[in-house]
């Protein structure tokens, strides 16, 4: 059977190389994964405790309304329960939004070198993905995006990751407000993907929670996969106007987030002290990386997230292998058309130390382009 031509355009998602696979292939016992922007310290101990408790309920279907989790999220974000829903990771929510608002032939607008799922979800729904190139400093080119919005009428959704993955760059409050004003005069929705919002240090950053006071139909995506350390449990959160949330609830699979995940996510959200400690440790380690990158004279984009993108000026596959042979899994980003870059996630102090040494060695080993 032939599959649809728009599906054939999809470059399959390339996940970070699993640790077990690297160990198997290389026959080495110490492998450190700095490739998937996970929280290497893991979740709050209270989330683990909640899992233990919830395990006695595995023979029951999960609560389809996620009552407890939504109540906790509502309180934390200062919203009503009608303004929140969940999905199996924000990836599922991206897919649901695309299916909800786009007909085949419609388009979404985003940037090149933005989270690849926007494009994958669009193409799998027979929707066109329009992508503007990054600006020189690795940001979304909002001026260019505005021009496209003004000349194209079939764009239904605009996806902005803030901070962005894989660049780690961000849009400040003034830039975003100005752009949202243009969007608000059009028949489309803006999705602000805030997967890394917890890590932001920039003082001119504004979260969608603040922006939605002025732009009430903004849809904000949060995830439990990154700072909260629950990537394996698949919990994404959508925040927005009750109308859009109601539509999401109409089509979402009520059981896609299992009870274990709901319980752990609730406990993790409630432990803001623990979150703060993870963020602080991440900042300290990111500072250490930045210092090393400066010493190595590598060009990188200053990051507001728990990862950074560096231009190694070398073949990324060769760099990847040189690092892997030293037990470090980095992430190539050729699927984003970044042909000399690597992305590194901040790991544990010991992992970063080894990562920095391995990077120095790999740079000496692999010839420059
Ligand atoms: C990791 C990431 C996600 C989150 O994915 P989940 O499906 O929630 O694990 C969403 N958006 C961006 C930009 C990401 O980097």
């Amino acid at each position: 059977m032939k599959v649809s031509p728009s599906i054939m355009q999809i470059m399959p998602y390339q996940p970070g190389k699993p640790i077990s696979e690297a160990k198997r292939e290389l026959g080495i016992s110490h492998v450190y994964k700095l490739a998937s922007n996970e929280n290497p310290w893991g979740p709050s101990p209270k989330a683990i405790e909640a899992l233990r408790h919830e395990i006695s309920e595995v023979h029951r279907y999960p609560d389809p309304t996620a009552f407890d989790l939504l109540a906790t999220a509502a309180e934390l974000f200062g919203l009503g329960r009608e303004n929140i829903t969940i999905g199996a990771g924000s990836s599922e929510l991206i897919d649901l939004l695309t299916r909800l608002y786009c007909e085949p032939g419609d388009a979404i607008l985003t940037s090149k070198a933005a989270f690849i799922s926007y494009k994958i979800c669009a193409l799998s729904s027979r929707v066109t993905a329009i992508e503007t190139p990054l600006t020189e400093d690795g940001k979304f080119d909002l001026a260019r995006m505005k021009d496209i919005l003004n000349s194209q009428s079939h764009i239904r959704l605009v996806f902005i990751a803030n901070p962005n993955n894989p660049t780690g760059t961000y849009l400040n409050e003034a830039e975003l407000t100005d752009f949202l004003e243009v969007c608000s005069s059009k028949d489309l929705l803006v999705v602000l993907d805030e997967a890394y919002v917890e890590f932001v240090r920039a003082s001119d950053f504004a979260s969608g929670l603040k922006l939605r006071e002025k732009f009430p139909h903004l849809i904000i995506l949060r995830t439990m996969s990154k700072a909260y350390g629950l990537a394996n449990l698949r919990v994404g959160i959508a925040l927005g106007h009750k109308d859009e949330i109601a539509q999401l609830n109409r089509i979402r699979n009520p059981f896609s987030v299992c009870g274990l995940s709901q319980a752990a996510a609730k406990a993790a959200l409630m432990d803001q002290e623990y979150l703060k400690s993870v963020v602080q440790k991440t900042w300290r380690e990111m500072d250490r990386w930045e210092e090393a990158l400066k010493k190595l004279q590598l060009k990188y984009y200053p990051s507001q997230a728990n990862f950074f993108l560096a231009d190694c000026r070398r073949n990324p596959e060769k760099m990847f292998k040189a690092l892997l042979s030293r037990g470090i899994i980095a992430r190539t980003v050729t699927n984003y058309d970044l042909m000399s870059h690597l992305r590194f996630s901040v790991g544990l102090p010991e992992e970063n130390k080894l990562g920095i040494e391995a990077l120095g060695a790999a740079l000496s080993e692999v010839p420059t382009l």
Side-chain angles (χ1 to χ4, degrees):
M1 252 316 257
K2 248 173 68 180
V3 304
S4 149
S6 66
I7 304 280
M8 289 309 290
Q9 288 177 44
I10 297 175
M11 277 219 285
Y13 183 76
Q14 298 170 357
K17 193 179 188 67
I19 292 174
S20 52
E21 186 181 299
K23 284 185 178 168
R24 210 164 47 235
E25 287 175 8
L26 280 118
I28 50 181
S29 57
H30 295 285
V31 176
Y32 304 99
K33 186 179 171 197
L34 303 178
S36 296
N37 303 343
E38 295 146 343
N39 157 359
W41 290 279
S44 158
K46 290 180 181 154
I48 303 293
E49 192 48 45
L51 281 173
R52 282 209 184 91
H53 189 255
E54 190 64 23
I55 211 153
S56 62
E57 296 299 315
V58 289
H59 55 302
R60 303 284 177 204
Y61 275 99
D63 173 4
T65 68
F67 187 92
D68 289 345
L69 172 55
L70 291 202
T72 298
E75 194 178 318
L76 180 66
F77 299 126
L79 299 172
R81 295 171 46 82
E82 69 281 8
N83 300 116
I84 307 177
T85 193
I86 54 169
S90 37
S91 314
E92 183 182 37
L93 294 163
I94 292 164
D95 201 25
L96 293 179
L97 286 164
T98 309
R99 282 196 269 147
L100 259 181
Y101 293 107
C102 302
E103 293 293 332
D106 284 343
I108 63 141
L109 176 62
T110 188
S111 175
K112 281 193 198 295
F115 191 46
I116 202 83
S117 288
Y118 311 143
K119 187 176 179 178
I120 293 178
C121 293
L123 292 175
S124 63
S125 292
R126 284 78 167 144
V127 169
T128 308
I130 304 174
E131 300 168 295
T132 54
L134 289 175
T135 61
E136 192 59 33
D137 47 357
K139 291 166 59 161
F140 275 53
D141 191 341
L142 295 181
R144 202 130 162 209
M145 289 173 79
K146 271 191 261 182
D147 286 345
I148 290 175
L149 287 175
N150 285 326
S151 66
Q152 307 245 5
S153 58
H154 61 307
I155 295 168
R156 300 268 80 92
L157 291 171
V158 180
F159 284 98
I160 297 178
N162 199 34
N164 183 42
N165 174 15
T167 58
T169 52
Y170 78 107
L171 298 168
N172 69 29
E173 178 168 11
E175 291 165 329
L176 211 45
T177 305
D178 175 66
F179 180 73
L180 291 173
E181 253 148 31
V182 174
C183 293
S184 61
S185 66
K186 319 247 175 234
D187 184 24
L188 55 81
L189 288 171
V190 178
V191 182
L192 205 53
D193 181 347
E194 297 188 334
Y196 302 96
V197 70
E198 295 85 3
F199 296 111
V200 171
R201 293 194 250 193
S203 58
D204 60 352
F205 176 91
S207 129
L209 284 175
K210 180 170 181 206
L211 296 166
R212 72 183 286 283
E213 289 165 13
K214 211 164 161 193
F215 304 101
H217 287 277
L218 195 57
I219 297 169
I220 304 159
L221 300 181
R222 298 286 181 94
T223 181
M224 302 304 294
S225 301
K226 305 290 161 54
Y228 286 101
L230 294 173
N232 204 331
L233 293 182
R234 317 303 307 129
V235 186
I237 303 176
L239 311 170
H241 191 280
K242 66 174 172 32
D243 294 352
E244 278 80 55
I245 297 298
Q247 300 304 345
L248 276 169
N249 281 335
R250 189 213 288 266
I251 64 163
R252 79 182 185 91
N253 174 351
F255 301 126
S256 71
V257 182
C258 75
L260 291 162
S261 301
Q262 291 182 27
K266 175 190 150 94
L269 285 178
M270 286 178 73
D271 197 348
Q272 290 293 306
E273 274 306 305
Y274 182 82
L275 176 74
K276 222 180 283 170
S277 73
V278 166
V279 168
Q280 255 146 23
K281 285 187 275 193
T282 306
W283 287 347
R284 202 158 57 222
E285 293 305 307
M286 179 63 93
D287 291 346
R288 187 161 24 158
W289 268 106
E290 280 204 48
E291 208 177 293
L293 293 171
K294 283 181 189 140
K295 272 196 199 131
L296 292 168
Q297 295 185 319
L298 266 197
K299 192 184 147 206
Y300 67 96
Y301 296 110
S303 171
Q304 291 292 319
N306 63 339
F307 61 85
F308 61 87
L309 183 68
D311 184 356
C312 301
R313 301 187 309 269
R314 284 159 177 80
N315 178 304
E317 293 300 336
K318 287 185 185 158
M319 281 296 292
F320 177 86
K321 284 199 185 118
L323 287 161
L324 189 60
S325 71
R326 294 168 173 86
I328 298 294
I329 306 176
R331 186 74 164 260
T332 58
V333 278
T334 48
N335 56 333
Y336 293 103
D337 291 334
L338 295 164
M339 306 315 279
S340 62
H341 298 67
L342 284 178
R343 194 191 70 192
F344 292 84
S345 313
V346 169
L348 298 170
E350 187 58 18
E351 297 173 325
N352 299 324
K353 187 169 167 282
L354 293 168
I356 288 166
E357 285 165 13
L359 179 56
L363 287 169
S364 321
E365 183 180 304
V366 178
T368 47
L369 288 174

